[in-house]
Amino acid sequence: MQKQPAEINYFFKDGYKEFGKTFLATFRRCGTVIADCWDSVCCHFGELGENALAVIKLDGAFVGFFKAIGFAFMFGLSLGRLIVSAILTPVICFALSIVQTVVLVIFMGLFYFLYSVVFLADWLYRCIKRISTSCPNCQEKYALPTYVCECGAKHTKLVPSRYGVFKRKCLCGRKLRTTFFNGRHKQPGSWICPKCGYELGGPLQVDIPIPVVGGPSSGKTCFINMAITQLEKHAKEKYGLEFKYKPNDALGDDYEANKRNMLNGRLPLKTNDTRLKYYQFYLTPKRVKVKNLVSLCDVAGEAYESNDEIGKQLGYKYANAFLMIVDPLSVRDYRDEIKGEIDISLYKASIRDMDEVLNTLILILENMKCLTAKTMIKTDVCVVFAKGDIPGLDDKIGMSAIQRYMQENNVRSKYDAANAVCENFLRQYSEENFLNSLKSKFKSVQFFTSSALGHVQNGEGFIGEGVEEPVLWLIDKVSLSINLRSLWGKKI
């Protein structure tokens, strides 16, 4: 674990140091006692020798005799003390050290058990709830961002660790909570991206990034902004979900401006960014603590003209699902069929073939995820045919076509019917390659038809049709807390 600006917990450092000091001090004292006993034996032995020599020389023999007996007794006591000290004292010291070690091991064992339980519980909670955070600036994704204390110290791993189980002490003296259970996400301070330092929101959220894929002029930006506008308006009353838009200035947030433009009959600002632009909002059922942070990620359609440019979009690697916008006018045979009947310039036809956009996406995902050409990409995809207000299109892939198919084929689910009529449309207009690539490469594919504007630009406010369902479909597929089975009529 990377070194943190915090004090290491007693049981991970000082506890071992104190035990070592006590152990060494005990045996150091034992050595001192033995050395003192040895010195006493040597001293009394010397005095005994001197008096014994005096007796032998008859020099004060009577007095020397009794002195010799006294020194012999003292020598015997010192020798006995030395023997006892040399044998018994180490045994006692060792026994006391064993007792101290056992007690310390029990306490440390209990502490490490508690630490392991808390660490595992916090980790499992994050895994089960799928808690993570994506950076809208550098597009990296993290289980937990970096916490910045009020003093400015950066804690890259604010989790139960050797710096503390439930709390750790920052070098500034502040006590920081380390788990979601005791309020890690509520404490003062900020959370930033570990890679680029961009300031993020709180860490308690389910991150759901959904890149919106499509060629130039396919209608991605219109779709994204209208879908968010409609969800903001209908989330509570129609779906029982709490909605809150989350502005971010990583690439400039123009959602409010685009919403006003569309309500007043003006087109949103065209996306020229060749980096994924995150439009973020919270969408969560009531009384659910861990909120879903949905990111609809937009990028200029021109980016799909270069594999290198799309390859820089790291967000594709971490995407939970993909929403692909298809301009029906990019289907060459269909465009040729209707160009004599309507003025297709009013609908700003996309000039990029849909299968080229799809092939670019698949190639980049294979490279990012290190997959072979035969390996399925385990990601859900919604394919949305945009510009559903084109005259006559409703009879081919719109609600009229879907209802007719349901009646003629006794199909109860309009979503199964939508898949059938859209697939028939692609086959009819020679786009089998696109269809086969989709169905063989991705885990699941659902087709929708929508109109982000409702009509061509004529000064009247735009009203989107069919823009909410594709987004909700993908969110429902990914989110554990959202279940809109009553809307779909089946489990998805």
Side-chain angles (χ1 to χ4, degrees), residues 133-139 142 145-146 148 154 190-201 246-253 278 280:
T133 301
S134 286
C135 175
N137 186 50
C138 68
Q139 304 177 25
Y142 305 95
T146 295
V148 182
K154 296 179 181 178
S190 60
W191 298 86
I192 64 172
C193 172
K195 181 178 179 180
C196 68
Y198 181 79
E199 186 167 345
L200 307 168
K246 180 181 180 292
N248 76 74
D249 58 357
L251 292 179
D253 195 297
Y278 286 58
Q280 298 182 308

Side-chain angles (χ1 to χ4, degrees), residues 101-114:
T101 301
V102 170
V103 172
L104 185 65
V105 166
I106 291 174
F107 275 99
M108 284 194 166
L110 291 173
F111 174 82
Y112 285 129
F113 176 75
L114 174 65

Side-chain angles (χ1 to χ4, degrees), residues 347-421:
Y347 298 91
K348 297 184 178 179
S350 176
I351 59 174
R352 185 83 170 163
D353 288 344
M354 62 175 75
D355 57 341
E356 293 179 0
V357 174
L358 178 61
N359 290 336
T360 299
L361 174 65
I362 290 174
L363 180 61
I364 294 305
L365 291 177
E366 288 175 345
N367 291 337
M368 286 182 171
K369 297 177 181 289
C370 300
L371 303 176
T372 65
K374 296 182 180 181
T375 305
M376 177 177 287
I377 300 171
K378 296 180 179 180
T379 309
D380 302 302
V381 177
C382 273
V383 178
V384 181
F385 281 96
K387 305 177 184 179
D389 53 300
I390 294 175
L393 188 61
D394 185 61
D395 290 331
K396 292 183 177 294
I397 56 174
M399 187 52 64
S400 297
I402 292 172
Q403 291 175 347
R404 185 172 62 252
Y405 184 90
M406 292 173 69
Q407 293 174 357
E408 294 175 354
N409 297 276
N410 195 27
V411 175
R412 300 181 63 182
S413 170
K414 71 174 185 178
Y415 300 100
D416 293 340
N419 281 353
V421 298

Side-chain angles (χ1 to χ4, degrees), residues 60-331:
F62 184 77
V63 177
F65 176 75
F66 285 101
K67 285 184 176 181
I69 292 176
F71 285 122
F73 178 75
M74 294 300 294
F75 171 75
L77 286 177
S78 299
L79 183 61
R81 183 185 172 199
L82 174 63
I83 294 172
V84 171
S85 298
I87 297 175
L88 190 59
T89 303
V91 171
I92 294 174
C93 290
F94 184 75
L96 291 175
S97 298
I98 291 295
V99 172
Q100 182 186 18
T101 301
V102 170
V103 172
L104 185 65
V105 166
I106 291 174
F107 275 99
M108 284 194 166
L110 291 173
F111 174 82
Y112 285 129
F113 176 75
L114 174 65
Y115 158 70
S116 300
V117 169
V118 174
F119 177 86
L120 184 62
D122 185 67
W123 179 78
L124 283 174
Y125 183 77
R126 283 184 278 139
C127 291
I128 293 172
K129 295 293 185 179
R130 300 181 185 177
I131 294 172
S132 61
T133 301
S134 286
C135 175
N137 186 50
C138 68
Q139 304 177 25
E140 279 284 2
K141 190 172 185 177
Y142 305 95
L144 199 66
T146 295
Y147 173 76
V148 182
C149 179
E150 291 180 287
C151 69
K154 296 179 181 178
H155 298 258
T156 56
K157 294 287 184 181
L158 191 57
V159 296
S161 65
R162 64 193 181 110
Y163 296 97
V165 180
F166 290 102
K167 292 183 178 180
R168 72 167 57 166
K169 191 174 183 181
C170 182
L171 294 180
C172 70
R174 291 180 175 87
K175 291 186 177 180
L176 309 177
R177 288 162 284 186
T178 61
T179 71
F180 285 124
F181 309 118
N182 66 342
R184 168 175 51 200
H185 55 291
K186 296 179 180 178
Q187 60 194 348
S190 60
W191 298 86
I192 64 172
C193 172
K195 181 178 179 180
C196 68
Y198 181 79
E199 186 167 345
L200 307 168
L204 187 62
Q205 61 193 21
V206 179
D207 189 59
I208 305 178
I210 303 176
V212 180
V213 180
S217 301
S218 60
K220 297 189 304 301
T221 305
C222 291
F223 179 90
I224 290 171
N225 285 275
M226 184 57 77
I228 298 175
T229 299
Q230 297 285 59
L231 285 172
E232 184 176 14
K233 182 179 180 181
H234 300 139
K236 186 174 183 180
E237 61 185 48
K238 288 181 64 174
Y239 311 114
L241 302 173
E242 294 182 343
F243 177 97
K244 182 181 179 182
Y245 188 76
K246 180 181 180 292
N248 76 74
D249 58 357
L251 292 179
D253 195 297
D254 50 19
Y255 166 65
E256 292 295 337
N258 287 337
K259 181 171 69 172
R260 286 193 301 270
N261 283 343
M262 290 189 296
L263 290 176
N264 292 312
R266 297 189 298 272
L267 294 175
L269 301 172
K270 177 177 170 55
T271 299
N272 295 314
D273 297 296
T274 54
R275 283 199 298 155
L276 284 177
K277 187 172 186 175
Y278 286 58
Y279 291 87
Q280 298 182 308
F281 56 91
Y282 293 102
L283 191 69
T284 312
K286 294 179 181 179
R287 294 181 292 277
V288 173
K289 292 182 179 179
V290 183
K291 297 184 179 298
N292 299 310
L293 178 60
V294 182
S295 301
L296 294 182
C297 309
D298 193 14
V299 69
E302 289 76 10
Y304 285 93
E305 297 176 2
S306 168
N307 288 357
D308 292 338
E309 201 63 52
I310 289 296
K312 297 175 184 177
Q313 313 309 317
L314 194 61
Y316 286 113
K317 179 180 180 180
Y318 303 115
N320 295 95
F322 289 92
L323 197 155
M324 187 169 189
I325 303 295
V326 174
D327 180 359
L329 297 176
S330 67
V331 180

